[in-house]
Structure formats: C-alpha cells, structure tokens
C-alpha cells in the first residue's frame, strides 16, 4: 500500500461536487460563509464524518462490509475472521487478570464484530462490555448482532454516549484513532500555513463546491518541536493529531485501574515525518477504493489519516499511563497465538478453511495489514509483561 497523499499546494483547483442539493454539503458551506469563507481542515473533517444525522459515520450509511456490492466502503480486521477477536481476547484476558478488573470498554465498535468475538471468548470473565459509539445506526446494528449471535451473553453488552468521570477496566480501540480529525499544515519553504477549506465562488448555494485554501498558521502550529523547519522540503503537507492525543489523555486521566490497547495503521514519529512522505497520509475510502480527495462526495466516503504513535504514547504517558509495548499487528497477533489457532485438527468444527487462512495471511503478512498496522498497549496500575509484546517490541522506536 502506498503512503496516502494530500493534494499538492500548487493545485487549488475546484474538485468534483457532491451530489446536487446534498444537505451535508450545504451545511458545511453555510459554516464556511459564517467564518468569512474558510474553515480549518480538522473542522471540515469533523463535520464530514460526524455531523448528526448527516455525516459519514452518523448518517446511517453502511460503511463496513466485504465487497462494494453490499454498499460498503472498507473492511476491518474483525470482519475478516473471528480469529482476530479470539486472539486479541487472550491479551485482554491477561490484562483483566493483571489489573483485577472485569469490564471492557470498546470505542468505535463498527458492526459489533469485535465485541461479539471478545464477549464470546471471555464469557463469564467479564461483568460488562460497554460500547461507546456516536453512530445511532451502528448501535442498532451492534445490538441486533448481539441478540442474534450471543443471546445468553447479550445482557453484558451496554452502550454509552460518553465516558464517565472515572472507570476501571480494559479499553479496546480498533481503527478508531485514524478516524479522528487532523490539522493539515503546509510548509512553503519559508513559513507554515494551515490548510483549510473554502467555497468555489462559481458554485451555487444549492450545489456548493469546495476548494483548498491556505492561511497563516496560528503561532506555534507546526510539527513536533524536535523537528527543525529545515528538515522539511518546500511544498510538504503534514498532519497533526491533537484530537486523537487529547482522546488518549482523557482516557488515561479518567481510568482508575486498567489497561488499553489500540490497533491502527500508522508509524512512529521518526517515520511519520520522513522527507519522502511530503504529501502526508490523508486518504479516503469509498466502494473499497482509495483516493486522496476529501473534498468530493462529502458524507459519502471515509476520511482518514495514519496515526503518529509517538504522539499517542507521549499523550498517554503524560496523563498517567505506562506504555506496555508497541509492535506491528502481525507480531502482536503471532505473540498472542494466532498461528496456533490454525492448527486445529481437520475434522474440528474450528478447522481453518482456505478462506480463514487467507484472512489470517492478510492480518499478519508485511505486505498486507501485518506491518502497516501497529498495536500500542498501556497500563495504569500493576505492571505486567503483556503477551502481545513478548517478541518484537518496538517501544524504543517511539
């Protein structure tokens, strides 16, 4: 998979319009007019993904699935094979035992596939499984899934709109950090500008079209301080991840005792800001195809950016967590026994068929999800040697 790119600074051309009369596009256009013709990209991304009843994740669209024909745009690891959740459950079980807790908190639970897998594998080991998800349509889908597939355990699963002021337990987040809004900064060779979104003056109120516009960045808006401006070549676009880091810090502050595991695609900071990644990592997904244009088909496609795991680690540490480990998804799942799960006798009902083996290969091989996706773990309370990081821990690279 190639590193995603944002549009080049020199290209401020008008992009394709969303569907005529799209209410989300009109709403965003109204906000742009209200703010003197410009909003920062992180605000645009927030509106495009999470506007109540209209956004990509909050508007009722089916986003997760295996093929474009089912109306979906992408597939996540729990959808590929239940072995993903069953394997992750071994790490979660160890964390529950080590911290003396009995609750799981999952953020961004999608279709509920991972929740089903974890609840099924852990059974009576957990008292409650809380899903925090902003999408009402996904919540309904998750609830129906639990009733259908786990009738005897479905009562353990509850939903929340927000996090309590204090909680204990194990936090799980699979592909949740990448969907949090990012700021875009552009280096001219002389100064940092903030990339934002404006309106094409030739478009109509009924059919607004969006363009890229850059403005002077706020004082202090730049990549992390250990990077000098001279480290970046002119026309470089980078993302900064304040919302994701604030989210992690809030979890750390409010957790009494417990652990947390985040699985997502991304890099440590030393790789995130490589000179050759001059276009950033912003990418969209629609119909199981990728494109770098977040300004078209607003509300109809996912907008995402790779995770800066160094920033996530620092945010967690500064708020009270200790880093348990950091490694590739392939190594993490292998450490937790994924390959052993394939060694079932051929007459076993859990014997791995060709489809399952292909899914496992996608999860762990370097040219698929195995290397691009990383896992970071945190703990607050008793330290333990997490099994997912026993071999190949890369914490030293953060």
């Amino acid at each position: 998979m190639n590193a995603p790119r944002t549009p080049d600074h020199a290209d401020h051309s008008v992009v394709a319009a969303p569907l005529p009369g799209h209410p989300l596009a009109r709403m965003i256009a109204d906000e742009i007019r209200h703010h003197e013709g410009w909003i920062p990209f992180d605000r645009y991304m927030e509106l495009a993904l999470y506007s109540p009843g209209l956004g990509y994740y909050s508007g009722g669209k089916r986003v997760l699935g295996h093929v474009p024909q089912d109306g979906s745009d992408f597939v996540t690891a729990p959808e590929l094979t239940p072995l993903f959740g069953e394997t992750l459950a071994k790490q979660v079980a160890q964390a529950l035992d080590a911290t003396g807790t009995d609750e799981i908190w999952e953020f961004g639970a999608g279709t509920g596939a991972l929740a089903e897998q974890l609840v099924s594998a852990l059974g009576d080991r957990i008292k409650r499984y809380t899903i925090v998800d902003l999408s009402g349509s996904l919540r309904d889908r998750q609830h129906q899934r639990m009733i259908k597939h786990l009738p005897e355990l479905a009562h353990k699963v509850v939903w929340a709109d927000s996090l309590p002021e204090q909680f204990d337990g194990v936090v799980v987040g699979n592909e949740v950090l990448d969907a949090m809004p990012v700021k875009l900064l552009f280096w001219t060779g002389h100064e940092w500008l903030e990339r934002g979104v404006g309106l094409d003056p030739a478009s109509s109120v009924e059919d607004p079209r969006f363009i890229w516009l850059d403005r002077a960045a706020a004082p202090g808006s730049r990549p992390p301080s250990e990077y000098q401006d001279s480290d970046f070549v002119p026309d470089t676009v980078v993302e900064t991840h304040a919302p994701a880091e604030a989210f992690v810090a809030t979890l750390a502050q409010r957790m009494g005792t417990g652990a947390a595991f985040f699985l997502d695609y991304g890099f440590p900071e030393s790789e995130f800001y490589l000179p050759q990644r001059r276009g950033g990592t912003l990418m969209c997904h629609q119909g199981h195809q990728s494109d770098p244009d977040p300004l078209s088909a607003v509300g109809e496609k996912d907008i995402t950016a790779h995770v800066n795991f160094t920033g996530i680690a620092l945010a967690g540490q500064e708020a009270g967590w200790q880093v348990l480990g950091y490694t590739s998804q392939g190594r993490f799942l292998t450490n937790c026994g994924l390959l052993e799960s394939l060694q079932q006798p051929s007459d076993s009902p859990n014997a791995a068929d060709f489809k399952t083996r292909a899914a496992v290969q996608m999860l762990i091989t370097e040219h698929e999800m195995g290397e691009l996706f990383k896992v970071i773990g945190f703990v607050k309370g008793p330290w333990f040697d997490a099994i997912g990081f026993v071999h190949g821990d890369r914490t030293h690279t953060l």
Side-chain angles (χ1 to χ4, degrees):
M1 181 180 294
N2 295 325
R5 300 180 295 109
T6 52
D8 185 79
H9 172 68
D11 181 10
H12 281 192
S13 59
V14 178
V15 299
L19 296 175
H22 195 297
L24 177 60
R26 294 200 306 269
M27 187 197 73
I28 294 175
D30 286 343
E31 177 153 334
I32 291 173
R33 294 187 192 96
H34 182 72
H35 289 85
E36 300 180 345
W38 183 89
I39 58 173
F41 179 76
D42 57 334
R43 177 57 177 164
Y44 172 88
M45 184 173 174
E46 178 185 2
L47 292 171
L49 296 181
Y50 302 111
S51 293
L54 296 174
Y56 177 76
Y57 284 112
S58 56
K61 174 178 170 56
R62 176 171 182 171
V63 302
L64 290 167
H66 288 270
V67 293
Q69 289 76 14
D70 62 19
S72 64
D73 296 319
F74 58 90
V75 65
T76 60
E79 305 289 336
L80 291 173
T81 171
L83 289 178
F84 176 80
E86 293 170 16
T87 303
L88 177 58
K90 298 174 184 177
Q91 176 61 91
V92 173
Q94 184 199 22
L96 290 167
D97 291 341
T99 59
T101 56
D102 57 9
E103 295 189 32
I104 297 176
W105 295 76
E106 184 183 359
F107 291 82
T111 65
L114 180 57
E116 178 192 339
Q117 294 158 15
L118 291 177
V119 172
S120 177
L122 294 169
D124 291 336
R125 179 60 189 83
I126 57 173
K127 175 183 177 182
R128 182 162 51 242
Y129 191 108
T130 302
I131 294 175
V132 184
D133 206 314
L134 299 178
S135 171
S137 61
L138 284 177
R139 179 181 299 193
D140 291 340
R141 190 174 175 185
Q142 294 155 5
H143 184 248
Q144 292 303 317
R145 183 175 193 135
M146 298 305 153
I147 293 175
K148 179 179 179 180
H149 297 289
L150 298 175
E152 296 180 355
L153 297 172
H155 66 279
K156 293 179 178 286
V157 183
V158 297
W159 285 262
D161 296 318
S162 60
L163 194 66
E165 289 301 314
Q166 185 170 12
F167 72 100
D168 298 324
V170 175
V171 168
V172 176
N174 182 60
E175 291 197 54
V176 64
L177 298 177
D178 67 87
M180 295 188 177
V182 294
K183 279 192 176 295
L184 297 182
L185 299 177
F186 174 77
W187 176 240
T188 67
H190 304 285
E191 63 177 335
W192 286 101
L193 302 177
E194 182 171 359
R195 176 152 289 177
V197 179
L199 286 170
D200 170 26
S203 65
S204 67
V205 173
E206 295 77 17
D207 186 14
R209 305 185 185 198
F210 303 111
I211 58 173
W212 294 107
L213 290 176
D214 297 330
R215 290 189 174 181
S221 294
R222 61 175 318 283
S225 58
E226 57 265 31
Y227 289 86
Q228 303 299 315
D229 291 343
S230 58
D231 293 332
F232 300 92
V233 298
D235 296 342
T236 291
V237 177
V238 300
E239 302 100 22
T240 59
H241 303 76
E245 292 167 8
F247 167 72
V248 167
T250 298
L251 288 177
Q253 291 163 356
R254 297 189 183 186
M255 178 182 284
T257 301
F261 300 92
F262 297 101
L263 303 90
D264 225 313
Y265 42 88
F267 317 99
E269 201 161 85
S270 59
E271 296 179 33
F272 198 89
Y273 294 117
L274 287 174
Q276 57 266 40
R277 196 167 283 122
R278 59 182 291 182
T281 69
L282 197 71
M283 184 56 63
C284 301
H285 302 279
Q286 185 177 27
H288 293 262
Q289 299 292 319
S290 300
D291 74 79
D293 180 11
L295 303 190
S296 66
V298 60
E300 297 298 321
K301 59 184 177 181
D302 189 24
I303 306 173
T304 180
H306 284 49
V307 176
N308 176 356
F309 278 101
T310 299
I312 295 300
L314 291 174
Q317 283 185 323
E318 291 170 1
W321 275 345
Q322 298 181 74
V323 175
L324 281 171
Y326 167 73
T327 192
S328 68
Q329 176 177 284
R331 176 61 72 176
F332 179 85
L333 294 175
T334 301
N335 287 340
C336 291
L338 177 59
L339 295 181
E340 286 76 1
S341 298
L342 293 178
Q343 306 306 314
Q344 300 287 343
S346 59
D347 58 349
S348 167
N350 296 319
D353 57 17
F354 176 80
K355 183 179 179 180
T356 299
R357 292 181 181 276
V360 168
Q361 288 297 311
M362 184 173 290
L363 291 176
I364 65 174
T365 54
E366 290 189 1
H367 67 282
E368 295 283 1
M369 299 171 69
E371 178 59 34
L372 181 63
F373 280 67
K374 309 298 193 305
V375 186
I376 190 168
F378 297 99
V379 66
K380 193 172 187 180
W383 174 268
F384 62 98
D385 291 319
I387 58 174
F389 307 108
V390 66
H391 300 297
D393 184 18
R394 304 181 187 179
T395 303
H396 63 283
T397 68
L398 293 172

